[in-house]
Amino acid sequence: MKWLSKMNCSLNHPKKLDLFSAISPFSYMRQLTLFTFPPNLKILKTLCSDGKLSEALLEMAILGLEMKFEGYDTLLNACLNRRTIRDGQRVHAHMIKTCYLPPLYLRTRLIIFYNKCECLGGARQVFDEMRERNVVSWTAMISAYSQRGYSSEALNLFLQMLKSDTEPNEFTFATVLTSCIGIYGFHLGRQIHSLIIKSNFESHIYVGSSLLDMYAKAGRIHEARGVFECLPERDVVSCTAILSGYAQLGLDGEALELFRKLQMEGMSTNYVTYASVLTALSGLAALDHGKQVHNHIFRFEVPSYVVLQNSLIDMYSKCGSLTYSRRVFNNMSERTVISWNAMLVGYSKHGMGREAVLSGCSHGGMEDRGLEIFYEMVNHKDGFRPEIEHYGCVSDLLGRAGRVEEAFQFIQKMPFEPTAAIWGSLLGACRVHSNVDIGEYVGQRLLEIEPENAGNYVILSNLYASVGRWEDVRTVRERMKEKAVTKEPGRTWIQLDQTLHTFHASDCSHPKREEVHTKVKELSVKFKEAGYAPDLSCVLYDVDEEQKEKVLLGHSEKLALTFGLVNTPEGTPIRLIKNLRICVDCHNFAKFVSKVYGRKVSLRDKNRFHHIVAGICSCGDYW
């Protein structure tokens, strides 16, 4: 009759039946029956498998002190699968209120649960309360920090783990390497690499992929390639990581070459792989190759995730084919803000300001319309508050229009701290419009903000040179040497018959250099008869005019353009890509090629596209 005495006790003290709150009469009677029949965890499991989590949690309350490992594990997994933070907290609270001491496995599951529900504080609290930890629990907490972008916390926790004499496994190494970013992180990452070698995990596919990704993101692509070549087997993750590393560093030709090599070796691919390849093709402006990759995606029915479609939009845009970009955009079943931005930037880069709105107004000479749109945003007419990017567009818009003083005042009155990109845009405008006073101030600010950015030194030096301040030019260049900052040399590419030809300023390396140099001189003479006048202000050296004109004839844009003119059939378009901004004189030279020879010239420089037909450029001579 023990069950009767228990029931009488429960009737006298009904609150003891529920650990959380009052329950319905039906549930109250259900609790009473538990004293007659033993608890049945099968009911709880069935409810969880049927997706009836609320009823399962009620069953947990009914079971009370009878809840054990199996029941908690079942409920936690259900909460984890559905990412229901409050239900998981109820399970955790039930453990605490019933004085249940979960084993190491369940505590680790709690860490994982809180991490998946983006409750980092809850995960850390569980971790700190653990009297015993193993490699899985350490790795789970390190992973939680790493996934949320808390790199320093992840690295510090990893160091604590080593001090606790817990040996990392392959998953620990693969996880912590993703947090080895920045100078400190990369330094620690190299030490972790040494530890990985000592622990014989270097050949593990997960660890190897994370290692090469770490080196690639740090700009150490040769070390990344070394790790990749040493992997005993390669999966789609490792192949994609190395391709992405090359593409992100602008080593587009190397990325494409490696992709071809891996394809011949039977590499597995997914949509991320193709997105990386498309990034490389965008950098090369290799339209024909891009179309081939697009056809390959169709033929092998690669899932068209948004990220892949965005890459296609970007690739076609940067290869000069806005028609294909728009076609991909129109056929998207789902669009993100990146999709819209990719399409808008495409229109803007091609000088189609009316299609690209605010940014396009900057490149299309429509500054008044751009300002009108901006102030509509400021006044909340469309319910949208402008961010710093929009302020940057306006300052760029004013600077390009020659309204440099107005742009300078606008930046100083912004509700945001100006970024290096905003100051850099204004410095470029000062160079174009020869505003030395403001340019000098802005240039000095930039050298303080970005002392390692070679572009800032070059533009400031060019600004001084344009007004003959050669002593200041030497001072800036000496400062570059002190900081060990090097300028990227100008290069121009042209693709003919599946071969990519690269030209440098005053190129002496190309097999047809003599023929090209001779032809450039001939063209210069011919174009002068048609009205071409070399713009000597583009030469930033303290030399005489004759020498300046000779320097201009050696610019990489002219060499590549002339090579294309000589080696392509009459009437066919000439497509070029330049790694830096095209100079004014080369832009004029290209216009005369188009006008005199009836060629369409498409040139993509660092900032935008220039489509030149019959001597008229899509940029309106405004870039």
Side-chain angles (χ1 to χ4, degrees):
M1 300 295 289
K2 288 183 179 179
W3 64 272
L4 184 59
S5 61
K6 283 185 179 179
M7 187 174 71
N8 290 334
C9 178
S10 299
L11 290 172
N12 292 330
H13 303 282
K15 288 185 179 180
K16 292 183 179 180
L17 291 173
D18 190 359
L19 293 164
F20 298 101
S21 59
I23 57 177
S24 66
F26 171 79
S27 298
Y28 184 81
M29 292 305 296
R30 174 75 177 85
Q31 285 190 342
L32 292 180
T33 61
L34 287 175
F35 295 112
T36 307
F37 304 99
N40 189 355
L41 289 175
K42 289 184 179 180
I43 297 174
L44 188 148
K45 284 187 173 182
T46 301
L47 291 170
C48 285
S49 63
D50 291 344
K52 299 178 180 178
L53 190 53
S54 298
E55 289 89 337
L57 290 168
L58 180 60
E59 193 69 25
M60 174 187 70
I62 293 170
L63 287 170
L65 295 172
E66 300 297 330
M67 277 288 291
K68 301 299 180 187
F69 171 85
E70 192 174 2
Y72 284 127
D73 187 38
T74 301
L75 275 172
L76 268 182
N77 285 330
C79 295
L80 181 60
N81 291 334
R82 297 178 62 176
R83 304 291 197 271
T84 51
I85 180 66
R86 292 195 177 278
D87 291 336
Q89 288 174 327
R90 288 180 64 185
V91 177
H92 191 188
H94 193 276
M95 294 179 185
I96 296 171
K97 290 191 176 184
T98 58
C99 299
Y100 175 76
L101 297 177
L104 181 58
Y105 172 83
L106 277 185
R107 292 184 188 273
T108 303
R109 294 297 291 171
L110 281 168
I111 293 174
I112 295 171
F113 162 75
Y114 279 119
N115 177 35
K116 293 294 184 183
C117 292
E118 301 186 7
C119 183
L120 200 55
R124 186 57 194 255
Q125 185 174 346
V126 172
F127 181 81
D128 288 340
E129 292 173 354
M130 295 176 73
R131 296 180 180 178
E132 177 190 1
R133 297 166 184 155
N134 62 9
V135 65
V136 180
S137 52
W138 279 101
T139 303
M141 196 63 235
I142 292 170
S143 177
Y145 279 125
S146 182
Q147 291 174 14
R148 300 286 169 268
Y150 294 98
S151 301
S152 59
E153 289 82 353
L155 294 174
N156 289 334
L157 201 61
F158 177 74
L159 295 176
Q160 291 179 38
M161 175 185 176
L162 296 179
K163 292 178 182 178
S164 71
D165 294 328
T166 304
E167 291 290 332
N169 61 19
E170 63 270 30
F171 300 107
T172 316
F173 285 125
T175 298
V176 75
L177 284 170
T178 62
S179 292
C180 294
I181 56 178
I183 298 175
Y184 169 75
F186 178 70
H187 177 70
L188 185 57
R190 298 197 71 140
Q191 296 181 51
I192 294 173
H193 190 179
S194 300
L195 184 59
I196 288 169
I197 295 172
K198 292 179 181 178
S199 305
N200 294 319
F201 282 121
E202 188 177 24
S203 61
H204 194 282
I205 190 65
Y206 296 146
V207 179
S209 297
S210 295
L211 265 175
L212 70 89
D213 187 58
M214 177 197 74
Y215 281 117
K217 287 178 178 175
R220 307 296 186 93
I221 196 65
H222 295 297
E223 286 93 332
R225 184 66 179 265
V227 172
F228 179 76
E229 296 294 346
C230 291
L231 289 175
E233 59 177 304
R234 298 163 183 167
D235 64 354
V236 66
V237 176
S238 56
C239 291
T240 302
I242 189 68
L243 288 170
S244 178
Y246 275 113
Q248 289 172 5
L249 291 172
L251 301 171
D252 306 311
E254 292 85 344
L256 189 57
E257 181 183 347
L258 179 60
F259 176 70
R260 288 169 175 160
K261 178 176 180 290
L262 293 175
Q263 272 197 317
M264 293 175 64
E265 295 175 358
M267 170 189 67
S268 298
T269 54
N270 62 13
Y271 72 98
V272 183
T273 316
Y274 285 112
S276 299
V277 174
L278 289 169
T279 299
L281 293 172
S282 299
L284 294 171
L287 180 59
D288 292 338
H289 287 302
K291 288 181 178 179
Q292 291 176 25
V293 171
H294 196 178
N295 289 334
H296 196 276
I297 291 169
F298 271 124
R299 190 163 61 250
F300 290 91
E301 298 181 349
V302 178
S304 293
Y305 294 104
V306 175
V307 64
L308 180 56
Q309 293 172 312
N310 291 343
S311 296
L312 282 167
I313 293 172
D314 183 63
M315 183 274 294
Y316 279 124
S317 171
K318 289 181 177 176
C319 289
S321 182
L322 273 180
T323 303
Y324 280 100
S325 287
R326 188 57 187 263
R327 190 177 299 172
V328 173
F329 180 81
N330 289 343
N331 290 331
M332 293 178 73
S333 58
E334 175 191 358
R335 299 186 185 113
T336 65
V337 65
I338 296 175
S339 313
W340 287 95
N341 285 344
M343 198 67 246
L344 289 170
V345 169
Y347 279 123
S348 173
K349 296 286 186 184
H350 286 263
M352 301 175 71
R354 298 184 186 278
E355 291 85 347
V357 197
L358 189 57
S359 178
C361 291
S362 175
H363 289 275
M366 300 162 56
E367 62 271 15
D368 291 332
R369 177 57 182 150
L371 288 170
E372 182 183 330
I373 293 170
F374 175 76
Y375 285 113
E376 285 178 1
M377 294 167 63
V378 171
N379 296 326
H380 310 299
K381 287 188 177 180
D382 55 2
F384 188 82
R385 184 183 298 273
E387 300 292 338
I388 191 169
E389 294 81 6
H390 303 100
Y391 281 88
C393 283
V394 172
S395 62
D396 181 67
L397 179 151
L398 292 170
R400 288 175 183 272
R403 296 157 67 171
V404 177
E405 291 83 1
E406 191 176 343
F408 183 54
Q409 294 172 5
F410 177 83
I411 291 172
Q412 290 183 312
K413 294 177 182 178
M414 286 194 322
F416 303 97
E417 183 69 24
T419 63
I422 291 175
W423 284 125
S425 173
L426 182 58
L427 180 60
C430 291
R431 164 68 184 92
V432 172
H433 299 288
S434 302
N435 192 315
V436 181
D437 293 336
I438 293 177
E440 187 170 25
Y441 171 82
V442 174
Q444 295 300 332
R445 285 292 307 273
L446 277 169
L447 296 189
E448 295 171 2
I449 298 171
E450 293 183 320
E452 308 301 323
N453 188 335
N456 297 329
Y457 293 90
V458 172
I459 296 175
L460 181 58
S461 173
N462 292 352
L463 179 62
Y464 285 138
S466 66
V467 292
R469 290 173 56 174
W470 302 109
E471 187 60 38
D472 290 319
V473 171
R474 283 187 282 273
T475 300
V476 173
R477 289 177 178 172
E478 287 174 3
R479 191 169 175 182
M480 284 183 72
K481 291 180 181 179
E482 291 174 3
K483 298 287 184 179
V485 178
T486 57
K487 172 188 175 293
E488 181 183 9
R491 292 176 292 171
T492 304
W493 296 271
I494 181 171
Q495 183 174 336
L496 297 178
D497 299 325
Q498 304 298 316
T499 301
L500 193 68
H501 297 266
T502 305
F503 290 88
H504 301 81
S506 301
D507 202 331
C508 296
S509 60
H510 196 275
K512 295 188 176 182
R513 57 186 178 277
E514 297 297 336
E515 177 186 342
V516 172
H517 280 287
T518 300
K519 188 63 177 178
V520 170
K521 292 176 183 177
E522 292 178 7
L523 292 176
S524 178
V525 173
K526 187 172 185 176
F527 293 162
K528 282 179 181 178
E529 295 173 356
Y532 166 68
D535 191 333
L536 302 182
S537 68
C538 295
V539 180
L540 303 169
Y541 298 99
D542 189 10
V543 294
D544 59 36
E545 291 191 358
E546 183 179 349
Q547 187 64 26
K548 286 184 178 181
E549 186 170 346
K550 185 177 179 181
V551 171
L552 285 177
L553 292 176
H555 279 196
S556 64
E557 301 98 310
K558 292 188 182 71
L559 299 177
L561 184 59
T562 302
F563 178 78
L565 183 65
V566 171
N567 291 280
T568 57
E570 291 184 12
T572 58
I574 302 174
R575 299 177 183 275
L576 308 173
I577 179 171
K578 174 77 187 291
N579 65 327
L580 304 176
R581 182 179 180 273
I582 185 174
C583 80
V584 174
D585 187 67
C586 287
H587 188 264
N588 290 337
F589 192 88
K591 288 164 67 176
F592 275 93
V593 168
S594 172
K595 182 178 180 180
V596 174
Y597 287 93
R599 297 290 195 102
K600 177 181 178 182
V601 177
S602 294
L603 190 148
R604 193 191 90 192
D605 70 6
K606 188 176 183 180
N607 293 334
R608 60 169 298 133
F609 261 96
H610 300 269
H611 298 291
I612 306 174
V613 180
I616 300 174
C617 185
S618 60
C619 73
D621 300 337
Y622 190 94
W623 77 102

